[in-house]
Amino acid sequence: MLARLLFRAARRAVLGSVETELCDLKSIKENCHNFCTATSKAVTFKELKNLLNSKNIMLIDVRETWEILEYGKIPGSVNIPLNEVSEALQMNPRDFKEKYHEVKPSKSDSLVFSCLAGKRSKKALDTAISLGFHRAQHYAGGWKEWETYEFSENKKGN
């Protein structure tokens, strides 16, 4: 009788740990699937130009103000430094308008974040998505790429 009780207890322990392992594997598989099938949130130079021409996005430059004054900015962009993005996206609309001179985007609006070379804009994108702005994207090429393409396009036009 004791042997049978010990066998059952051992069997439950083994089956329980196998069940736990299977659940862990299922979780890993789901996370991998979500990662592999996620849509790209980065836009190219050409895509950004088309979006800006459509006037259906808000382009937010997350560089520091001095960087914009010193190097320039993408026309139509709004400067909200990276360290202000979370707070700005949670402001009431009146305060946002007063501080940034633009209408505050809603969570259903299309946003594109840019910076110098894509690192800060990706952080801003992650922040926006975590706050429910699921139509947000970022321009990974940043000001460096924009300036290069714009200079070469303008040069061709002359």
Side-chain angles (χ1 to χ4, degrees), residues 113-132:
F113 294 96
S114 70
C115 62
L116 183 65
K119 290 186 183 203
R120 288 175 282 178
S121 63
K122 177 64 170 93
K123 288 180 182 178
L125 170 64
D126 293 342
T127 298
I129 289 172
S130 75
L131 293 172

Side-chain angles (χ1 to χ4, degrees), residues 43-51 53 139 145-146 149:
V43 297
T44 64
F45 171 80
K46 193 169 193 163
E47 290 169 333
L48 180 58
K49 288 220 43 157
N50 290 336
L51 287 167
N53 288 334
Y139 175 42
E145 183 179 86
W146 179 271
Y149 280 129

Side-chain angles (χ1 to χ4, degrees), residues 19-133:
E19 194 172 281
T20 300
E21 292 299 319
L22 287 174
C23 287
D24 288 345
L25 286 174
K26 183 179 177 192
S27 175
I28 290 168
K29 179 184 174 199
E30 287 170 357
N31 288 337
C32 180
H33 175 75
N34 291 341
F35 176 78
C36 296
T37 60
T39 58
S40 173
K41 294 284 188 174
V43 297
T44 64
F45 171 80
K46 193 169 193 163
E47 290 169 333
L48 180 58
K49 288 220 43 157
N50 290 336
L51 287 167
L52 288 169
N53 288 334
S54 75
K55 304 206 185 303
N56 288 330
I57 65 154
M58 176 181 272
L59 177 60
I60 300 174
D61 191 324
V62 298
R63 293 178 293 158
E64 296 297 321
T65 305
W66 70 265
E67 292 177 89
I68 291 171
L69 295 172
E70 188 168 327
Y71 302 113
K73 70 175 196 158
I74 298 172
S77 64
V78 178
N79 180 224
I80 303 176
L82 180 60
N83 65 348
E84 296 177 21
V85 167
S86 179
E87 180 184 343
L89 294 176
Q90 297 178 78
M91 282 181 168
N92 73 53
R94 186 178 43 90
D95 291 343
F96 186 94
K97 174 82 172 166
E98 188 176 305
K99 185 165 185 173
Y100 300 109
H101 311 290
E102 291 288 336
V103 174
K104 180 184 178 236
S106 71
K107 291 184 178 182
S108 62
D109 287 341
S110 294
L111 304 177
V112 176
F113 294 96
S114 70
C115 62
L116 183 65
K119 290 186 183 203
R120 288 175 282 178
S121 63
K122 177 64 170 93
K123 288 180 182 178
L125 170 64
D126 293 342
T127 298
I129 289 172
S130 75
L131 293 172
F133 291 83

Side-chain angles (χ1 to χ4, degrees), residues 134-151:
H134 296 292
R135 294 188 64 204
Q137 302 174 84
H138 84 114
Y139 175 42
W143 173 251
K144 284 182 174 182
E145 183 179 86
W146 179 271
E147 185 179 39
T148 301
Y149 280 129
E150 280 296 293
F151 179 74

